[in-house]
């Protein structure tokens, strides 16, 4: 999961609202949180809130938090501390904490930060409209019986031609370092018919690319026509939606890459040639300690099968270095695995304990050891990432334009392989899917020219 603090910048309007109130949302963490923030903005839109990018002009500030990274809760408390002058200047300002830190900390947030008015967990944010109207402080960290998605308003296409769609939530894997099974609960898959309806609706609003989201997305097992559908079936049915040009999904567990899903990579042209498949370590000893339930060899064989289905697929992964007990030999095994696979991108982190997880009981490695390993691993990944980008130069790729670039006559979009591409195209408009020849590679993006008749 990536850590990308973002602020919602689109507008959610209320029908018949007297005067719009302003909502500022800060989103921490993964793409699922970005999606949740959009849905929270839509839910609060029904109560007259429109979003703003300026915290100072907001009537409500909502921090949609993530617990996956180091000192996550402390970062949230320090952000809340920074809101104190704002609350003093505007006593009616509502301050809310949502997401996984809200789930994990609950009432503790109100005790430590009395300026907070509401605390809402990831499974109950559909109740936000009632919560903002409540007198006094509210904490809701339930795992309610009702499905929150049934209680949220219709989607708005907030991110131009691309959209996220949560198909699955929660995780039953219990990796030893991870809080997700505790904060998001058990795996739940949304029914296929609802997802297809939501996807059709997004496409009717101009969306051309949908990324299916789940904490363990390839563990999807939703009720569908004729029985339970896996992710492969869901992707095939989504691909049949007229006007939906691209599909992606994230985040996956290696053990849930079944035959049908792998075959979908060969058979579904809309499924883009990019796969984020976290492995975390290349050492079997550490994989066992992490409770990942697969070996390095099994991961490598899986990659062979995926590449046999889709030879040009670009792979990305997550790595944790310095897990308790990791030796130099274990770390070298991780480096060997990276060399063997050749990744186009990766997210890598130094291990840090999450309270309440089994790994938190174990002694941590000295910081300097983990720092040095992280540096070495990131250098190798950067080398592979640059090589993957350079291999694109001279090739023709599809680019879905998302927005104008900084330079006049420039458009920015994503390639099939999820590279950011800056295209010199004065005729370009957001939402166009254009064939582009890649002409150059910068550290984190590509440059290209459109191929127009
Ligand atoms: S698969 Fe492991 S790392 Fe991923 S969400 Fe589940 S418990 Fe966390």
């Amino acid at each position: 999961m990536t850590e990308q603090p973002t602020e919602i910048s689109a507008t959610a309007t209320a029908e018949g609202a007297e005067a719009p109130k302003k909502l500022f949302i800060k989103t921490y963490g993964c793409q699922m949180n970005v999606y949740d923030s959009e849905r929270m903005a839509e839910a609060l839109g029904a109560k007259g809130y429109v979003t703003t990018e300026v915290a100072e002009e907001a009537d409500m500030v909502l921090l949609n938090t993530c617990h996956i990274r180091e000192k996550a809760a402390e970062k949230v408390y320090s952000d809340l501390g920074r809101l104190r002058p704002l609350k003093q200047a505007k006593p009616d300002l509502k301050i809310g904490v949502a997401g996984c830190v809200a789930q994990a900390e609950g009432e503790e947030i109100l005790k430590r930060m009395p300026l907070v008015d509401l605390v809402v967990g990831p499974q109950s944010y559909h109740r936000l409209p009632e919560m903002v109207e409540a007198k006094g402080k509210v904490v809701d960290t339930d795992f309610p019986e009702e499905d929150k998605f049934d209680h949220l308003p219709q989607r708005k296409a907030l991110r131009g031609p691309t959209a996220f769609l949560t198909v699955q939530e929660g995780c039953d894997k219990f990796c030893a370092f991870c809080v997700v099974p505790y904060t998001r609960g058990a795996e739940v898959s949304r029914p296929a018919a609802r997802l297809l309806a939501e996807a059709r609706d997004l496409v009717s609003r101009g969306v051309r690319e949908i990324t299916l989201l789940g904490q363990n997305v390839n563990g999807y097992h939703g009720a569908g026509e004729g029985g339970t559908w896996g992710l492969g079936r869901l992707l095939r049915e989504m691909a049949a939606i007229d006007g939906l040009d691209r599909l992606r999904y994230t985040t996956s567990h290696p053990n849930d890459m079944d035959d049908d899903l792998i075959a979908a990579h060969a058979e579904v042209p809309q499924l883009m040639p990019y796969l984020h498949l976290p492995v975390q370590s290349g050492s079997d000893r550490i994989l066992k300690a992490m409770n990942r339930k697969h070996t390095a060899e099994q991961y490598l064989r899986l990659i062979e099968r995926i590449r046999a289905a889709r030879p040009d697929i670009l792979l990305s992964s997550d790595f944790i270095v310095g897990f308790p007990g990791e030796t130099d030999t274990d770390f070298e095994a991780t480096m060997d695995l990276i060399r063997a696979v050749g990744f186009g991108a990766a997210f890598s982190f130094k291990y840090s304990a999450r309270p309440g997880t089994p790994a938190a009981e174990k002694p941590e490695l000295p910081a300097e050891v983990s720092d040095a390993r992280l540096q070495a691993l990131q250098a190798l990944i950067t080398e592979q990432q640059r090589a993957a980008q350079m291999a694109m130069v001279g090739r023709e790729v599809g680019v879905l334009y998302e927005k104008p670039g900084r330079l006049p006559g420039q458009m920015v979009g994503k390639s099939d392989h999820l590279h950011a591409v800056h295209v010199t195209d004065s005729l370009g408009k957001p939402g166009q899917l254009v064939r582009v020849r890649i002409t150059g590679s910068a550290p984190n993006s590509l440059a290209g020219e459109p191929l127009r008749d």
Side-chain angles (χ1 to χ4, degrees):
M1 294 180 194
T2 58
E3 182 151 20
Q4 302 165 316
T6 48
E7 275 116 42
I8 287 273
S9 59
T11 306
T13 47
E15 237 175 77
E18 285 167 13
K21 288 169 276 183
K22 301 230 171 115
L23 168 69
F24 175 88
I25 304 188
K26 177 169 179 176
T27 307
Y28 306 66
C30 62
Q31 288 160 326
M32 290 199 68
N33 263 16
V34 174
Y35 172 88
D36 285 345
S37 290
E38 289 173 2
R39 307 292 325 246
M40 288 178 203
E42 289 161 5
L44 288 166
K47 286 289 169 200
Y49 282 91
V50 298
T51 51
T52 173
E53 289 178 52
V54 185
E56 288 70 24
E57 64 179 36
D59 300 287
M60 177 169 182
V61 171
L62 195 53
L63 306 185
N64 186 17
T65 62
C66 172
H67 210 305
I68 209 90
R69 298 284 165 250
E70 194 178 4
K71 300 191 177 76
E74 289 315 310
K75 279 181 191 152
V76 173
Y77 284 120
S78 107
D79 281 356
L80 286 168
R82 279 201 286 277
L83 289 172
R84 206 172 275 124
L86 203 56
K87 181 86 171 182
Q88 278 160 357
K90 276 173 105 173
D92 289 341
L93 174 72
K94 278 206 183 287
I95 297 181
V97 181
C100 289
V101 172
Q103 187 70 38
E105 298 277 301
E107 300 262 355
E108 181 65 18
I109 295 177
L110 297 185
K111 283 192 202 137
R112 278 185 62 178
M113 285 287 164
L115 55 72
V116 172
D117 299 286
L118 63 94
V119 176
V120 60
Q123 297 310 337
S124 37
Y125 66 73
H126 57 293
R127 296 173 177 166
L128 269 171
E130 297 107 75
M131 293 175 78
V132 287
E133 305 239 303
K135 299 262 177 278
K137 296 177 186 286
V138 203
V139 177
D140 188 342
T141 50
D142 284 356
F143 287 92
E145 288 279 305
E146 78 265 16
D147 180 349
K148 69 173 177 249
F149 294 107
D150 289 344
H151 297 265
L152 289 166
Q154 193 187 31
R155 292 298 318 274
K156 290 185 169 61
L158 292 171
R159 301 173 63 81
T162 66
F164 293 133
L165 174 52
T166 292
V167 303
Q168 178 276 338
E169 285 193 293
C171 184
D172 300 338
K173 296 280 191 288
F174 289 92
C175 297
F177 52 83
C178 182
V179 288
V180 165
Y182 311 100
T183 58
R184 293 271 179 164
E187 283 181 23
V188 178
S189 296
R190 298 180 63 199
R194 300 245 180 91
L195 296 169
L196 289 166
E198 203 173 310
R200 277 188 213 100
D201 180 59
L202 287 167
V203 171
S204 75
R205 291 154 188 264
V207 166
R208 300 187 70 176
E209 172 179 315
I210 294 181
T211 301
L212 307 185
L213 297 180
Q215 265 94 24
N216 191 20
V217 70
N218 59 342
Y220 177 80
H221 53 281
E225 208 183 299
T228 303
W229 291 12
L231 190 66
R233 173 85 189 267
L234 184 65
L235 285 163
R236 288 169 203 274
E237 301 285 339
M238 291 243 169
I241 297 174
D242 208 22
L244 181 52
D245 299 309
R246 287 173 151 194
L247 284 162
R248 306 182 191 274
Y249 61 92
T250 198
T251 292
S252 297
H253 190 286
N255 290 3
D256 288 324
M257 289 300 299
D258 63 24
D259 290 347
D260 187 46
L261 181 54
I262 294 172
H265 279 279
E267 294 159 11
V268 178
Q270 291 89 342
L271 185 53
M272 292 291 100
Y274 179 94
L275 177 63
H276 182 66
L277 193 59
V279 62
Q280 308 295 0
S281 170
S283 154
D284 288 346
R285 216 176 59 81
I286 294 299
L287 286 169
K288 191 156 190 272
M290 287 176 165
N291 195 30
R292 292 288 293 176
K293 299 193 178 82
H294 61 79
T295 63
E297 185 61 23
Q298 283 165 340
Y299 184 85
L300 292 171
R301 297 290 80 82
L302 178 59
I303 297 298
E304 273 175 14
R305 288 169 57 217
I306 294 165
R307 281 192 166 138
R310 185 75 205 235
D312 69 333
I313 201 160
L314 197 87
L315 292 157
S316 119
S317 195
D318 288 344
F319 295 94
I320 294 174
V321 301
F323 189 79
E326 185 188 75
T327 61
D328 284 342
T329 310
D330 294 320
F331 177 66
E332 272 316 311
T334 301
M335 297 292 269
D336 287 345
L337 180 138
I338 295 171
R339 287 185 202 102
V341 174
F343 290 97
F347 301 101
S348 48
F349 307 95
K350 195 169 67 161
Y351 171 78
S352 78
R354 297 288 169 280
T357 58
E361 312 285 313
K362 300 186 180 166
E364 290 189 30
L365 264 55
E368 59 276 16
V369 172
S370 301
D371 286 339
R373 288 179 188 167
L374 184 62
Q375 228 177 348
L377 185 143
Q378 288 183 337
L380 178 57
I381 293 287
T382 303
E383 201 180 291
Q384 295 191 341
Q385 182 183 336
R386 296 217 170 127
Q389 286 190 200
M390 283 308 295
M392 292 288 163
V393 177
R395 282 177 62 176
E396 287 177 23
V397 298
V399 177
L400 179 59
Y401 290 166
E402 292 176 14
K403 57 184 181 187
R406 289 214 187 108
L407 302 177
Q410 190 187 56
M411 294 301 299
V412 184
K414 295 278 178 8
S415 73
D416 302 344
H417 295 87
L418 206 59
H419 287 124
V421 188
H422 293 84
V423 186
T424 308
D425 186 358
S426 54
L427 301 175
K429 290 197 174 43
Q432 290 175 336
L433 183 55
V434 176
R435 293 300 298 167
V436 166
R437 186 185 307 285
I438 300 301
T439 55
S441 173
N444 291 308
S445 63
L446 298 171
E449 287 170 356
L451 294 163
R452 287 215 168 88
D453 298 332

